[in-house]
Amino acid sequence: MTHPDRSAHPDRSALPEPWLRGPIEGVHPLAAPILYAFQQAGEDLAHYTAGLTREQIWANPHGLGSVAFHLRHIAQSTERLMSYLQGRALSAEQLVALEAEHEPTAAGRDDLLALMDRAFRDAEAVVRAIDPAILTERRTVGRKQLPTTVIGLLTHIAEHTQRHAGQAISAAKLARSA
């Protein structure tokens, strides 16, 4: 579903958006939108970040979040939300990573896209294994154990991914024009 090899991305102009490419074999139609969101985000972010320097990736244009922040946040929030989906609390490692999301590192564009692709692949394996009979099962999120359902979490992961993909694309355009 995701494309870790950036050169393997299809010509975007030749394909419709992922959700218009047909059903995903072996995935329930109510779970498929999250995989479409991952594919769309991966393709869009690879396209719009192409050619950016490390400095542009980490720039905070107009005080906004950097491209790097959004890429790392998409990856790490997907991992955290998938933990909740599986009925698990966050690990100590996930909590440490959450605190460090805004801190610049030596990571460049390819490293950050690979981090995101890994998170998407891991999440895709979980989504593919979901029994549709559990979509309405209760789940809780965060320290406050806020209530949701499996389908609620899947929906949120998809929309959260797209929200941050859009912010990363805007940051990339602003960084490129600076």
Side-chain angles (χ1 to χ4, degrees):
M1 174 103 330
T2 55
H3 303 279
D5 176 4
R6 298 283 149 228
S7 63
H9 275 275
D11 175 9
R12 297 178 77 239
S13 64
L15 290 174
E17 291 184 355
W19 66 279
L20 292 170
R21 296 178 194 165
I24 300 172
E25 184 69 32
V27 177
H28 191 278
L30 293 177
I34 189 170
L35 300 185
Y36 295 136
F38 291 162
Q39 189 170 3
Q40 183 85 47
E43 291 175 12
D44 286 349
L45 290 166
H47 175 76
Y48 286 102
T49 62
L52 290 179
T53 66
R54 184 189 174 287
E55 291 73 28
Q56 289 171 317
I57 290 285
W58 286 97
N60 295 99
H62 304 289
L64 300 173
S66 67
V67 172
F69 162 74
H70 289 292
L71 295 177
R72 193 161 48 173
H73 181 69
I74 289 168
Q76 292 176 350
S77 64
T78 297
E79 291 172 356
R80 290 190 296 270
L81 291 164
M82 293 306 286
S83 292
Y84 296 134
L85 182 78
Q86 296 171 81
R88 297 190 326 254
L90 298 185
S91 68
E93 183 180 85
Q94 286 172 313
L95 292 171
V96 168
L98 172 62
E99 294 300 318
E101 278 183 349
H102 281 284
E103 296 174 18
T105 68
R109 172 190 177 266
D110 290 343
D111 299 320
L112 294 162
L113 289 173
L115 178 71
M116 187 183 70
D117 281 339
R118 251 188 326 278
F120 288 170
R121 276 194 312 274
D122 292 348
E124 180 179 346
V126 173
V127 171
R128 286 182 173 279
I130 289 176
D131 177 351
I134 73 159
L135 291 174
T136 59
E137 280 186 10
R138 179 180 159 83
R139 292 294 186 269
T140 58
V141 175
R143 292 183 183 118
K144 293 183 179 182
Q145 298 290 293
L146 298 172
T148 190
T149 61
V150 170
I151 193 70
L153 264 164
L154 290 174
T155 300
H156 177 67
I157 295 166
E159 66 86 18
H160 183 264
T161 296
Q162 288 302 312
R163 178 186 312 149
H164 283 280
Q167 290 173 314
I169 291 166
S170 294
K173 289 177 177 181
L174 288 169
R176 192 180 311 277
S177 68

